[in-house]
Amino acid sequence: MKFGYFDDVQREYVIERPDTPYPWINYLGNEKFFSLISNTSGGYCFYRDARLMRLTRYRYNSVPTDAGGRYFYLRDGNDVWNPGWAPVKAKPDRYRCRHGLGYTVIESERNQLTARQLSFVPIGADCEVHRVTLKNQSGAVKEIKLFSFVEFCVWNAYDDMTNFQRNFNTGEVEIDGSAIYHKTEYRERRNHYAVFSVNAPIQGYDTDRESFLGLYNGFDRPDAVFNGKPGNSVASGWSPIGSHCLGVTLAPGEEKSYIFVLGYCENPEDQKWEAHGVINKEPARRLLDRFHTDRQVEIAFDELKNYWEGLLSRFCLQSEDPKLDRMVSVWNQYQCMITFNMSRSASYFESGIGRGMGFRDSTQDLLGFVHLIPSRAKARILDIAATQMADGSAYHQYQPLTKRGNMEVGSGFNDDPLWLIFGVTAYLKETGDWSILKESVPFDNDEKKSASLLEHLRRSFGHVLDNLGPHGLPLIGRADWNDCLNLNCFSKKPGESFQTVENRESGVAESVFIAGMLVYIAPSYAEILRRGGLTSEAEVVLKAAKDMEQAVIRYGWDGEWYLRAYDAMGNKVGSRECDEGKLFIEPQGFCAMAGIGMDQGLPERALDSVKEHLDTKYGIVLNWPSYTTYRLNLGEISSYPPGYKENGGIFCHNNPWISIAETMVGHGERAFEVYRKTCPAYLEDISEIHRTEPYVYAQMIAGRDAPRFGEAKNSWLTGTAAWTFYDVSQFILGIRPQFDGLQIDPCVPSALKGFTVTRRFRGADYVIEVRNPDGVEKGIKTMTLDGMLITGNLLPDCSDGKTHRVVAVMG
């Protein structure tokens, strides 16, 4: 069942009914101010950090789902409704939500009154803009009352939901004309406040939640709205809100618009006050003046659309498959931007409270982002590297506001260091900016312990080699990529976190997955060293990779697939010898990508085993068979019911590894089949099963052992976005940056007779036409650059600001 459709011309997903199978959301903001907004106008906003600088409150696990947001209530006579349907849920005569790139438009009609809500975060502004346009479609005058509503968070979102004995005494506001200022804690240690304003005179306001709603009412029946009269309440302690009441008279056919701005402002410490107890409103006045008129809003909105037009022009696909085109050219790249901004911190599945920016997560996110804004990718790399320890290990996460590592999800994930090399390599291949390796970067944010970024990479690689187990394979630490495979953490206590419980380093538990990573990364890392004149060190790296490959072949091959690991007792994990969890996806992907045992045909045998045992109609499950009992020696993975998350779920994040591996052995059909099964545009017709948004990837789809096989969870903030774009752009379509140019190496289904990719690379634009007249899956027979035949399939780095025409013929 479909709940909407793709508008490819406008680059929008259009939702045609409000009761979607789960709230379908969008993200607003690309710089410092961010918002989440659902198709019913639910969600919240924050400045830079979803935990420490939360402007509006949101309750997860609420009933009903998606309760709370920026709401606009319309009172037309005695009839009360919302443009976004929720929370009153009065049935509209017509409803449509258009999620676009950085904006959302909600349009509704009821009783011949139409309402259109445009919501976006302007470029270069720390605010949400909501323009509400009302039009009288009837033949009689309408007297409307328009009420706005937001509920302020007391800044620290964790403290806001826990420390009620304090927070029920701190709420403070100021009202100045049509502007409501949330200034809780401003008197003391804060120098920032929120402002919520409208560009028209108001009939009244409310800033106290209880006065607006009524103590025993929900958002669906606020007293002020249903009584048609604001209380002019001033919050004092308790829960501060912002609500304006406007009287709107509309003649037949008349239309009026109102601009609401919800923004973040701060003052220098010595300029906090205009007078005793009166906040300095000058930054707020400047902000509000920028979006006071319709023309100003339209200019800002056009600037936002042009911004995205420019970004998406860097990689654009035209093929015979519109679903593939819209995902590659628009929605996948859009999601890559969001995951780069958010990491795993703030979605409708991540509260923004428990996690900051992940070390591993953020470096993986670079794979799908670096081509969009290389300068921001560079800054992110340096931020991540600065949280690394001097021994090459890493904090597993850091807070975006402080950029300092924290231990809230533990440390000792032994794959983390290698991801830094992965991210830096992607940046170098995209930009050719070798100067980044000379940047001075601190360890653990301590400037006294600074070294070049190259030295950080050296210690990353060294950390793996310095921590090998009995079989010469890398020690897993607390976990590797799979945070839930905890081979050194033995937890029996209910509610105890597997990520922070004692990590009893056994010196025995080893990861075949990390071994595959090291072998895959080593050639690029060695080339980085070689180009820096460190030839002998490069040879040492390649020798270490060769030794690791032999260790995997000897101790990490199980006959038909690669082992997953050895546990703390030295027992095999992911082996035919196991009663459950015989086969895992992760080492099959990375060891095959690394070509481990290629001469013996091991990658193809492993991929055949994946096809036979792990593949399903909705994607490849993470492990088989699922665990049906809790395994103390394995940790969190066995705590999930069979078919969910890491225990037999379809973890979409690592399906691209299998797809990439299939391209490396020339299987274009199978590579694309893996890609298609988890690609949301191909799942749009089964939205009642899939449930999450049909325009972005989910982290997890329930596996075949789950009662709700095919149901997705954890959409938006997932490494699936970057890995899938990396897969489809660089390995299926085969437009792959290399150190010296752009390699053209597609691996596609034989039925695909051609496609064209426009790719901006190092200042030049390449229009690359790939022809497949013979219906092959892999291989380039001839290639021309601007009409001149070139040898091989590597386009030179032109870097000349010009447009170049490329024709590549497969065969």
Side-chain angles (χ1 to χ4, degrees), residues 95-304:
Y95 163 92
R96 186 167 63 176
C97 172
R98 294 159 43 208
H99 283 322
L101 306 181
Y103 68 89
T104 288
V105 178
I106 297 173
E107 301 169 303
S108 291
E109 182 176 345
R110 183 176 166 90
N111 295 337
Q112 296 184 295
L113 174 66
T114 62
R116 183 178 189 270
Q117 174 188 333
L118 165 65
S119 301
F120 68 103
V121 171
I123 299 294
D126 297 329
C127 67
E128 292 179 348
V129 171
H130 305 277
R131 183 171 66 179
V132 177
T133 302
L134 305 177
K135 185 173 183 178
N136 181 2
Q137 304 281 15
S138 75
V141 173
K142 280 184 175 286
E143 296 288 345
I144 309 297
K145 286 199 173 179
L146 169 61
F147 291 82
S148 65
F149 173 83
V150 298
E151 184 179 14
F152 293 113
C153 176
V154 188
W155 297 110
N156 184 321
Y158 179 78
D159 185 81
D160 179 78
M161 63 182 287
T162 56
N163 193 4
F164 301 114
Q165 62 83 26
R166 169 178 166 81
N167 295 338
F168 283 164
N169 294 276
T170 59
E172 286 189 281
V173 298
E174 286 184 28
I175 302 97
D176 183 7
S178 297
I180 296 167
Y181 294 88
H182 176 227
K183 64 174 187 178
T184 301
E185 295 187 342
Y186 187 80
R187 287 190 310 110
E188 37 156 322
R189 292 162 291 179
R190 296 187 181 275
N191 70 333
H192 47 264
Y193 56 82
V195 60
F196 185 37
S197 184
V198 62
N199 69 333
I202 58 177
Q203 290 187 346
Y205 57 85
D206 275 295
T207 64
D208 174 72
R209 187 183 70 198
E210 183 178 323
S211 300
F212 177 76
L213 293 178
L215 179 58
Y216 295 103
N217 293 344
F219 299 126
D220 60 330
R221 193 170 177 81
D223 279 349
V225 178
F226 278 82
N227 294 334
K229 185 178 180 181
N232 292 337
S233 59
V234 179
S236 179
W238 298 108
S239 298
I241 66 162
S243 176
H244 308 90
C245 174
L246 295 94
V248 184
T249 300
L250 293 174
E254 187 177 10
E255 179 178 277
K256 291 182 180 178
S257 65
Y258 300 90
I259 300 165
F260 296 85
V261 176
L262 173 61
Y264 169 91
C265 300
E266 61 182 42
N267 285 310
E269 192 66 29
D270 61 348
Q271 299 175 33
K272 288 179 62 171
W273 307 101
E274 291 181 357
H276 181 69
V278 180
I279 61 176
N280 178 1
K281 302 179 182 65
E282 183 55 34
R285 295 187 186 104
R286 290 196 302 268
L287 178 66
L288 300 177
D289 284 346
R290 291 177 59 186
F291 308 106
H292 188 73
T293 68
D294 283 324
R295 180 59 181 155
Q296 288 174 311
V297 169
E298 288 160 5
I299 290 171
F301 188 44
D302 286 342
E303 183 181 9
L304 176 67

Side-chain angles (χ1 to χ4, degrees), residues 299-341:
I299 290 171
F301 188 44
D302 286 342
E303 183 181 9
L304 176 67
K305 290 191 287 188
N306 291 337
Y307 174 84
W308 275 105
E309 179 73 32
L311 286 184
L312 295 181
S313 68
R314 302 182 70 89
F315 194 108
C316 187
L317 169 68
Q318 290 179 296
S319 76
E320 59 201 39
D321 184 344
K323 294 179 180 178
L324 179 64
D325 290 356
R326 68 172 59 117
M327 288 308 302
V328 172
S329 299
V330 181
W331 294 100
N332 197 170
Q333 294 187 73
Y334 181 53
Q335 188 178 0
C336 285
M337 167 68 96
I338 304 305
T339 56
F340 176 84
N341 287 334

Side-chain angles (χ1 to χ4, degrees), residues 588-779:
Q588 317 318 318
F590 253 89
C591 291
M593 285 163 61
I596 292 178
M598 185 70 79
D599 293 342
Q600 300 100 304
L602 303 191
E604 289 203 65
R605 289 163 65 185
L607 294 172
D608 287 343
S609 295
V610 169
K611 181 69 176 172
E612 180 181 356
H613 299 295
L614 301 183
D615 195 23
T616 78
K617 64 180 179 178
Y618 295 127
I620 301 169
V621 298
L622 187 141
N623 62 299
W624 162 86
S626 303
Y627 294 105
T628 58
T629 60
Y630 177 58
R631 312 294 176 105
L632 187 66
N633 64 313
L634 301 182
E636 186 173 1
I637 184 173
S638 59
S639 72
Y640 288 105
Y644 286 101
K645 288 278 283 182
E646 285 84 353
N647 187 21
I650 299 163
F651 220 83
C652 303
H653 183 142
N654 48 37
N655 275 233
W657 303 347
I658 300 300
S659 181
I660 292 170
E662 292 283 12
T663 70
M664 291 184 165
V665 295
H667 296 166
E669 302 278 1
R670 278 173 41 168
F672 192 78
E673 180 186 8
V674 173
Y675 168 80
R676 180 182 52 78
K677 284 183 178 181
T678 61
C679 183
Y682 294 91
L683 305 175
E684 185 186 15
D685 290 341
I686 59 164
S687 288
E688 79 283 6
I689 298 172
H690 188 70
R691 293 193 67 191
T692 60
E693 298 91 341
Y695 42 91
V696 293
Y697 286 90
Q699 178 208 67
M700 192 280 291
I701 297 171
R704 61 191 165 201
D705 295 333
R708 302 173 77 162
F709 180 31
E711 180 185 68
K713 290 190 177 80
N714 296 28
S715 60
W716 280 99
L717 302 188
T718 165
T720 309
W723 269 109
T724 304
F725 187 75
Y726 184 66
D727 170 28
V728 70
S729 65
Q730 298 197 26
F731 294 91
I732 294 176
L733 300 176
I735 314 300
R736 188 155 61 245
Q738 299 288 11
F739 290 124
D740 292 322
L742 203 56
Q743 187 177 21
I744 312 302
D745 185 25
C747 187
V748 297
S750 58
L752 185 63
K753 297 303 182 182
F755 59 87
T756 300
V757 169
T758 301
R759 176 67 153 93
R760 186 163 303 148
F761 181 68
R762 301 186 190 177
D765 287 325
Y766 296 82
V767 180
I768 303 161
E769 181 187 356
V770 175
R771 300 173 183 171
N772 189 17
D774 298 329
V776 302
E777 295 183 39
K778 191 176 177 70

Side-chain angles (χ1 to χ4, degrees), residues 61-89:
N61 204 21
S62 187
V63 180
T65 299
D66 198 25
R70 67 288 284 156
Y71 291 141
F72 298 97
Y73 297 86
L74 295 169
R75 181 180 171 89
D76 180 6
N78 290 320
D79 185 43
V80 175
W81 59 286
N82 304 97
W85 181 62
V88 173
K89 293 192 285 190

